[in-house]
Amino acid sequence: MCLFFAWREIGYNGRTIQPFLPLRPALTGMTHQQEDDMPFTVKKRGKLTYYYNGEHPTLSALVTEEQCDGDLKIYFAGLTGGYSAKGVLGLDELVTMDPEREIPLGFKSWEFWLQEAGICDSLKQVDFIEVHAFGCQPKSPSPLTDPAGYAAEQERLRAAYAKAYRGFFRDYLPDNGVPSRFTVHLVDVPDKAASYEFYSVALYQKALQE
C-alpha cells in the first residue's frame, strides 16, 4: 500500500525540518464511492478541477488546470501560518507573528492539500511558478507610543521572513527552481495571528515523475 506523508513538526522547539509522519493511503485508482469519501468535494468543468469543502464554499483550496500535455497547473488558495495552518494541519498551538515558523507551516498546509486531493505526495513533486506574499504590520508595540520599537519590530519580521523563505527552498526543495515572487506589505489581513499570508501557482509535470 502506498502511503502519503505529511511534514509536521513536533513541539516547535527548534526551527529545523522534522521527519515525515504517515497520514493516509494514497487516493489513486479510486472508485466513485471512494471519490465521495474524499476530504475535498471535487467539481470538474472541462480542463478545470475545483477542490473545496462544504456545499456552498467561499473559495476552493486548490484549482487545477489540465495542460495540453497532461500536466497540471495548480492554484493554491491563500493562507497563513497562523490560524490557517492551525486549522488545516490540526495543530494544538497557534503560531503568532513568527515568520520562521509560519512560513514552513504555510507550505506544509499546501502539501497536505495536495495529498488530500490525491494529486501527489510531496511539494517536491511540483514546481512553483510564482508566490505572492502579503506582509502584515506588527501588532505591538504601538507606532504612536513607541515608534522606534515599532520600526524595530517591522525590521525583525521582514528579516525573519526573508530567512525562512530562502531557507525553505534551500533545505526542503533543493532540486526545484525558486519561483518568481512579489511581496507587498498591508495594514492587516483577516488572520490576526499571522505576520504573512501567501498565495501560489505551481506546475505538476508528469514527465518528471517517471
Side-chain angles (χ1 to χ4, degrees), residues 12-130:
Y12 299 109
N13 292 323
R15 307 198 185 276
T16 57
I17 297 173
Q18 300 297 319
F20 283 74
L21 297 175
L23 280 181
R24 62 196 305 276
L27 299 173
T28 55
M30 295 181 294
T31 65
H32 289 298
Q33 180 60 45
Q34 288 172 318
E35 288 179 353
D36 291 339
D37 294 336
M38 285 180 64
F40 283 124
T41 299
V42 181
K43 182 174 185 177
K44 186 170 178 61
R45 283 180 56 82
K47 296 180 180 180
L48 300 179
T49 303
Y50 301 83
Y51 298 86
Y52 56 91
N53 297 114
E55 294 183 4
H56 304 288
T58 303
L59 52 80
S60 293
L62 299 172
V63 177
T64 63
E65 178 184 355
E66 187 174 354
Q67 307 298 292
C68 59
D69 58 1
D71 291 350
L72 292 178
K73 197 170 188 179
I74 305 168
Y75 301 83
F76 295 87
L79 50 67
T80 71
Y83 280 103
S84 296
K86 184 176 186 294
V88 171
L89 299 174
L91 304 176
D92 294 327
E93 180 186 2
L94 173 64
V95 179
T96 303
M97 302 303 287
D98 188 348
E100 289 190 63
R101 297 168 68 192
E102 291 174 49
I103 289 171
L105 287 175
F107 281 102
K108 291 180 195 180
S109 297
W110 285 335
E111 183 170 71
F112 183 72
W113 282 346
L114 290 174
Q115 295 167 353
E116 293 291 272
I119 294 172
C120 61
D121 296 1
S122 167
L123 286 180
K124 295 179 180 181
Q125 294 172 269
V126 302
D127 292 278
F128 284 98
I129 301 171
E130 60 182 3

Side-chain angles (χ1 to χ4, degrees), residues 3-4 7 9-10 56 67 74 92 111 124 129 131-132 135 147 158 183 187 190 205:
L3 293 177
F4 279 145
W7 178 47
E9 291 182 8
I10 305 298
H56 304 288
Q67 307 298 292
I74 305 168
D92 294 327
E111 183 170 71
K124 295 179 180 181
I129 301 171
V131 172
H132 302 181
R158 293 173 185 180
T183 302
V187 173
Q205 303 185 74

Side-chain angles (χ1 to χ4, degrees), residues 97 99 135-143 146-162 183-188 195-196:
M97 302 303 287
C136 306
Q137 301 306 313
K139 305 300 186 289
S140 64
S142 168
D146 186 2
Y150 183 83
E153 179 66 359
Q154 282 183 315
E155 290 304 313
R156 181 192 72 81
L157 291 173
R158 293 173 185 180
Y161 156 65
T183 302
V184 296
H185 288 86
L186 311 174
V187 173
D188 210 347
S195 58
Y196 283 87

